[in-house]
RNA sequence: GUGGAAAUAGCUCAGUCGGUUAGAGCGCCAGAUUGUGGUCCUGGAGGUCGUGGGUUCGAUCCCCAUUUUCCACCCCA
């Protein structure tokens, strides 16, 4: 019985790897431009960390974690998101003592036990940014700008930015009262799920996808109407900065986010695609999370994005992408020529050219076919004549043009072409 | 976790009202005056028809179970 990859997991190879590499390169470049440094935290942490950090009432913690007891009887969980782990590392290494703010990004495998579908696997990859130690909306704007810049450089244009503000603890408490009252007045019309949430976590009710419920919410109280002056100013500054940076946004009171730790700003980039529609990137401010996990309060803001979803969006907008071409293929005919080809190719590789030769001892024709398939710019065959004259006849694969080049001038030729 | 559809070659899929050697296109390998790719032509390799059981003289096809994938919910990135 053949062994196959587990449900919700997959092997990544071929063009997919090349595309992912491109995306990752753009991500790293954007982070560099914004002065954001990378952090790599372990793949697993104590389960307790996520229970505290993500929130015990969330679906992620309640039913989607890969948890197990290791041989030392520690309760371990494969990370279902990275923010809690980054916060743990921030506190553990006293990063708050360094020059502030602390700007970190991660690019990490992430695990959630869910029903897999397109753009959602059980092992997936997340890219995210966290900025610690900056309470001003300037940081919120910068975080959004990072995500926006990344999407733009990936040529993903069919997304829209939705922003909202949940306010601080006081505003949220106030809002919860108003909302509860409002929802109670509608309880006979709400679906069973909404009525359950109405008691436990009223904010989540607004997230209900039931169209009948949504109709009721048109005149529901909005979080932004319950903001105190500080939170309101914060939100106004954010909107102002986004406008000044030419980042278009929609204020959307339905954006409440699924994780408990958000305060003030929340946002999502929502994709309208053929193969996938939905949130491709989401985040916000979480001023109370660091205190929740550690002891001292540290303001923080960040976002997370699923690389697989990013890839779907990227492929929709970038149909005929040119994958990197190898520079030269050097084939051979005969044993002496074989040795010469291997040596030449090896020398070129040492000089950091991309060079390839035939490993199967095929006919000249087959070697040329191979050169064509792997997509080299140039191809040449070494035979008796070439060995005698020490000259190569290099063929430009795109134009069929041939150039005579001596063995010693090979590097110079490649540099100039 | 709920509901629905699907699973046949490396890929995309046909097909058999249940019958002997299961097909196509693409891809792969090889030929077309034994030293040159891309188009065209010819040939070849490659499948225990997802897995296990049942019905049957006989199952890739019908039935049951199971696994996986996809879609819609739920939730999220």
């Amino acid at each position: 019985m053949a062994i196959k990859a587990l449900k919700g997991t997959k092997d990544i190879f071929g063009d997919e790897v090349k595309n992912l590499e491109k995306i990752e390169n753009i991500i790293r470049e954007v982070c560099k431009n914004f002065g954001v440094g990378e952090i790599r935290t372990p793949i697993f942490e104590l389960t307790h960390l996520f229970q505290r950090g993500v929130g015990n009432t969330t679906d992620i913690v309640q039913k989607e974690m890969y948890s197990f007891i290791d041989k030392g009887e520690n309760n371990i969980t494969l990370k279902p998101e990275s923010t809690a782990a980054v916060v743990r590392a921030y506190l553990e290494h006293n990063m708050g003592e360094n020059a502030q703010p602390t700007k970190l990004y991660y690019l990490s495998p992430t695990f959630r036990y869910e029903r897999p579908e397109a753009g959602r696997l059980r092992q997936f990859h997340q890219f995210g940014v966290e900025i610690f130690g900056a309470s001003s909306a300037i940081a919120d704007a910068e975080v959004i700008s990072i995500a926006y810049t990344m999407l733009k450089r990936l040529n993903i244009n069919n997304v829209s930015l939705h922003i909202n503000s949940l306010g601080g603890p006081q505003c949220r408490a106030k809002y919860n009262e108003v909302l509860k009252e409002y929802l109670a007045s509608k309880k006979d019309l709400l679906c069973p799920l909404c009525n359950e949430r109405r008691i436990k976590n009223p904010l989540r009710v607004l997230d209900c996808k039931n169209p009948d419920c949504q109709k009721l919410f048109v005149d529901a109280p909005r979080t932004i109407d319950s903001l105190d002056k500080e939170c309101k100013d914060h939100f106004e500054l954010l909107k102002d900065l986004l406008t000044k940076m030419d980042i278009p946004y929609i204020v959307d009171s339905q954006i409440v986010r699924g994780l408990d730790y958000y305060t003030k700003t929340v946002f999502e980039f929502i994709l309208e695609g053929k193969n996938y529609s939905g949130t491709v990137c989401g985040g916000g401010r979480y001023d109370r999370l660091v205190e929740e996990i550690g002891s001292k309060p540290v303001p923080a803001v960040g976002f997370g994005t699923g690389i697989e979803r990013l890839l779907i969006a990227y492929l929709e907008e970038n149909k005929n992408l040119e994958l990197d071409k190898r520079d030269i293929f050097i084939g051979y005919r005969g044993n002496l020529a074989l040795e010469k080809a291997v040596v030449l190719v090896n020398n070129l590789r040492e000089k950091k050219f991309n060079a390839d030769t035939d490993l199967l001892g095929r006919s000249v024709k087959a070697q040329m076919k191979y050169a064509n398939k792997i997509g080299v710019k140039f191809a040449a065959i070494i035979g008796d004549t070439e060995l005698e004259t020490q000259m190569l006849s290099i063929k430009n694969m795109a134009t069929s043009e041939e150039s005579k080049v001596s063995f010693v001038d090979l590097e110079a030729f490649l540099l100039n072409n």
Side-chain angles (χ1 to χ4, degrees):
Chain A
M1 175 83 150
I3 297 174
K4 293 184 175 175
L6 287 171
K7 177 175 184 163
T9 68
K10 67 183 291 200
D11 303 307
I12 305 167
F13 57 94
D15 284 355
E16 191 175 6
V17 160
K18 291 184 186 172
N19 286 319
L20 286 172
E21 204 178 23
K22 278 197 164 177
I23 292 175
E24 288 171 10
N25 288 342
I26 289 175
I27 283 172
R28 292 183 194 283
E29 184 188 65
V30 170
C31 286
K32 206 170 165 188
N33 294 157
F34 279 84
V36 181
E38 182 176 6
I39 181 165
R40 304 188 187 189
T41 65
I43 226 87
F44 53 83
E45 299 270 358
L46 283 181
T47 301
H48 187 53
L49 172 66
F50 300 115
Q51 287 170 339
R52 262 209 305 200
V54 182
N56 253 323
T57 62
T58 60
D59 275 17
I60 292 180
V61 168
Q62 283 187 345
K63 42 190 196 192
E64 295 175 3
M65 296 209 298
Y66 270 95
S67 301
F68 59 96
I69 309 293
D70 73 4
K71 289 183 181 176
E73 295 189 359
N74 303 300
N75 194 337
I76 300 287
T77 294
L78 303 182
K79 53 179 157 181
E81 60 101 47
S82 293
T83 299
V86 173
V87 168
R88 194 224 77 230
Y90 170 86
L91 291 169
E92 185 168 337
H93 305 291
N94 275 318
M95 294 186 195
E97 299 301 312
N98 302 330
Q100 292 304 298
T102 302
K103 304 202 257 185
L104 298 170
Y105 82 92
Y106 57 85
L107 205 48
S108 164
T110 310
F111 305 83
R112 284 184 207 171
Y113 192 87
E114 290 184 281
R115 189 89 154 236
E117 42 179 275
R120 179 210 285 188
L121 293 172
R122 288 180 171 180
Q123 174 175 345
F124 59 106
H125 298 79
Q126 272 195 327
F127 156 60
V129 168
E130 322 284 0
I131 296 183
F132 298 101
S135 57
S136 160
I138 310 169
D140 306 39
E142 177 154 309
V143 159
I144 290 175
S145 178
I146 293 171
Y148 181 76
T149 304
M150 170 192 73
L151 293 169
K152 217 164 66 177
R153 286 194 198 168
L154 287 169
N155 197 27
I156 297 172
N157 298 310
N158 47 353
V159 287
S160 49
L161 168 62
H162 295 237
I163 62 171
N164 190 22
S165 178
L166 304 177
Q170 311 89 327
C171 319
R172 214 160 152 171
K174 195 173 109 194
Y175 175 73
N176 263 337
E177 289 311 307
V178 180
L179 182 63
K180 267 186 187 166
E181 233 171 79
Y182 171 84
L183 291 173
S185 73
K186 305 265 183 187
K187 67 179 175 191
D188 297 337
L189 301 167
L190 292 171
C191 71
L193 185 69
C194 281
N195 267 314
E196 198 179 306
R197 281 183 179 160
R198 188 167 63 86
I199 313 299
K200 282 201 291 196
N201 191 353
L203 201 53
R204 304 288 296 142
V205 175
L206 299 179
D207 235 8
C208 183
K209 299 295 186 295
N210 186 325
D212 291 333
C213 292
Q214 280 304 329
K215 274 182 216 153
L216 296 174
F217 302 150
V218 180
D219 61 342
R222 302 178 303 169
T223 53
I224 46 175
D225 294 327
S226 296
L227 299 182
D228 60 23
K229 179 157 190 327
E230 189 215 332
C231 292
K232 198 172 259 170
D233 289 348
H234 186 99
F235 196 47
E236 289 305 318
L237 177 57
L238 170 65
K239 289 193 290 186
D240 180 51
L241 289 173
L242 290 177
T243 306
K244 296 276 155 52
M245 285 193 287
D246 272 331
I247 299 175
Y249 62 85
I250 301 162
V251 176
D252 181 346
S253 56
Q254 310 261 337
I255 301 289
V256 295
R257 309 288 303 147
L259 289 80
D260 288 349
Y261 53 58
Y262 288 106
T263 55
K264 291 183 181 165
T265 308
V266 288
F267 67 90
E268 294 184 9
F269 284 90
I270 299 176
L271 179 77
E272 290 298 331
K274 277 182 234 113
N275 298 315
Y276 174 76
S277 287
T279 303
V280 74
C281 172
R285 180 163 278 283
Y286 47 95
D287 286 343
R288 292 195 303 157
L289 178 64
V290 180
E291 190 171 11
E292 197 80 22
I293 291 175
S295 48
K296 50 187 174 182
V298 176
V301 55
F303 71 83
T305 177
I307 301 288
E308 283 79 0
R309 289 184 181 181
L310 220 47
L311 177 63
I312 294 174
Y314 176 71
L315 291 178
E316 279 189 10
E317 297 277 307
N318 300 274
K319 293 289 186 232
N320 301 314
L321 36 101
E322 281 246 332
L323 294 170
D324 288 340
K325 292 202 163 194
R326 280 190 258 190
D327 293 333
I328 189 166
F329 173 88
I330 301 178
Y332 53 84
R333 184 181 138 78
N335 284 337
L336 275 178
L338 179 160
E339 287 170 14
K340 187 69 195 172
V342 167
V343 169
L344 278 181
V345 162
N346 204 45
N347 288 343
L348 288 173
R349 287 167 173 167
E350 272 183 22
K351 298 280 162 55
K352 298 189 180 172
F353 290 100
N354 304 325
D356 209 352
T357 187
D358 181 56
L359 302 180
L360 304 184
R362 285 180 283 207
S363 70
V364 168
K365 190 185 196 83
Q367 293 186 50
M368 287 303 290
K369 266 186 153 172
Y370 175 70
N372 184 55
K373 265 172 223 154
I374 61 175
V376 290
K377 271 164 88 177
F378 300 105
I381 299 289
I382 303 179
D384 294 341
T385 329
E386 287 77 12
L387 286 176
E388 250 170 59
T389 60
Q390 298 282 299
M391 295 285 285
L392 273 177
S393 175
I394 298 181
K395 188 167 189 170
N396 182 321
M397 297 300 274
T399 62
S400 287
E401 218 178 301
E402 302 219 6
S403 320
K404 297 282 182 194
V405 178
S406 79
F407 287 176
V408 289
D409 293 336
L410 196 51
E411 277 174 39
F413 173 83
L414 289 177
L415 272 180
N416 295 326
N417 287 279

